[in-house]
């Protein structure tokens, strides 16, 4: 075999190895993208169901807003309706952004910077949601007391039983909100671990 033939053969093998390496890298990136996206799939499904529940409550409140006959009950109704619309929409939006975050055509630094920004937005929204839920407990209690029982939540005298129930509800919401926030953190950290495998 002549030197020219060996050079041509060597060059051909080198090109094939480069193409194979590029193909392998592309497959790894696509698998990583799919693995990353799947981390948020269950969370997105639950949030979608939750959004439909919130929208159903919103429609119910809109249909019954005429029963809120004082300015403060109307204010409670508006706060509750805004929460039932804005929070699910923002949650689904930020979830979609982080879930559909593309890693295939970016370098490692761009991937991590973009992911951390999306993660911070999502977790900050969840923190706001935790605090807002305590306000919405009172506004929604006032609204539903008026709609269902025609009672003014703020004018009704309460006994020990009612205060205990309210305290129990607040504690329950606290633990449920904390659990929900930790689920978000756990999923985001698992997705970040997938991305760090690219390093």
């Amino acid at each position: 075999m002549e030197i020219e033939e060996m050079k041509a053969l060597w060059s051909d093998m080198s090109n094939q190895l480069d193409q194979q390496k590029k193909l392998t890298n592309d497959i790894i990136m696509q698998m990583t993208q799919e693995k990353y996206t799947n981390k948020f799939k269950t969370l997105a499904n639950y949030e979608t169901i939750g959004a439909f529940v919130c929208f159903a409550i919103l429609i119910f409140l809109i249909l019954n807003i005429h029963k809120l006959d004082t300015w403060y009950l109307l204010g409670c109704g508006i706060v509750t309706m805004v929460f039932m619309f804005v929070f699910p929409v923002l949650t689904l939006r930020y979830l979609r952004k982080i879930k559909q975050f593309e890693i295939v055509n970016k370098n490692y630094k761009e991937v991590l910077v973009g992911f951390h920004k999306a993660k911070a937005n999502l977790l900050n929204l969840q923190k706001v949601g935790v605090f807002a839920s305590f306000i919405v407990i009172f506004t929604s209690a006032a609204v539903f007391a008026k709609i269902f029982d025609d009672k003014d939540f703020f004018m009704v005298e309460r006994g020990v039983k009612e205060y205990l129930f309210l305290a129990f509800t607040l504690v329950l919401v606290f633990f449920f909100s904390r659990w929900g926030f930790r689920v978000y953190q756990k999923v985001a950290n698992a997705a970040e671990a997938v991305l760090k495998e690219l390093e």
Side-chain angles (χ1 to χ4, degrees):
M1 189 179 280
E2 293 183 22
I3 295 179
E4 293 301 323
E5 288 178 358
M6 287 180 68
K7 281 183 181 178
L9 185 63
W10 186 258
S11 177
D12 189 44
M13 285 175 59
S14 179
N15 287 338
Q16 286 178 2
L17 282 173
D18 286 344
Q19 287 176 347
Q20 206 167 26
K21 185 179 177 183
K22 185 181 182 309
L23 183 63
T24 302
N25 284 342
D26 288 347
I27 290 170
I28 289 170
M29 290 300 281
Q30 287 171 357
M31 287 173 60
T32 304
Q33 178 78 57
E34 190 173 322
K35 193 174 173 185
Y36 168 84
T37 302
N38 286 338
K39 294 290 180 190
F40 295 99
K41 192 176 273 186
T42 303
L43 197 57
N45 289 342
Y46 284 128
E47 287 295 346
T48 301
I49 292 167
F52 280 115
V53 171
C54 287
F55 295 151
I57 293 169
L58 175 64
I59 291 168
F60 175 79
L61 293 176
I62 290 170
L63 294 175
N64 289 284
I65 199 163
H66 64 278
K67 294 180 180 178
L68 307 176
D69 53 4
T70 63
W71 67 269
Y72 52 87
L73 288 174
L74 186 60
C76 288
I78 290 169
V79 167
T80 304
M81 286 188 288
V82 166
F83 181 83
M84 292 297 166
F85 178 75
V86 171
F87 193 72
V89 167
L90 287 178
T91 300
L92 289 175
R93 181 176 173 223
Y94 285 139
L95 252 178
R96 190 182 84 239
K97 274 187 177 180
I98 199 168
K99 182 182 170 195
Q100 294 178 348
F101 183 71
E102 189 176 321
I103 62 175
V104 174
N105 297 320
K106 296 180 179 176
N107 65 41
Y108 185 67
K109 183 180 177 185
E110 290 174 330
V111 167
L112 282 187
V113 168
F115 172 77
H116 281 290
K117 183 179 176 186
K119 177 184 172 184
N121 288 340
L122 184 64
L123 292 180
N124 286 337
L125 179 66
Q126 293 308 306
K127 287 177 188 174
V128 168
V130 167
F131 293 111
S133 64
F134 286 101
I135 296 168
V136 173
I137 284 175
F138 290 104
T139 61
S140 61
V143 168
F144 288 116
K146 184 65 177 174
I147 290 172
F148 289 126
D149 298 328
D150 196 30
K151 292 182 180 175
D152 190 327
F153 178 81
F154 300 104
M155 300 298 180
V156 174
E157 287 189 29
R158 291 175 186 78
V160 175
K161 194 188 298 185
E162 286 85 4
Y163 284 114
L164 286 174
F165 179 75
L166 188 59
F168 173 76
T169 303
L170 289 172
V171 168
L172 191 68
V173 167
F174 171 76
F175 283 110
F176 183 75
S177 298
R178 201 172 87 175
W179 171 79
F181 182 75
R182 286 183 176 171
V183 167
Y184 268 85
Q185 277 184 316
K186 185 179 175 183
V187 170
N189 290 340
E192 186 173 2
V194 168
L195 296 178
K196 286 186 175 177
E197 290 173 8
L198 295 171
E199 191 175 14

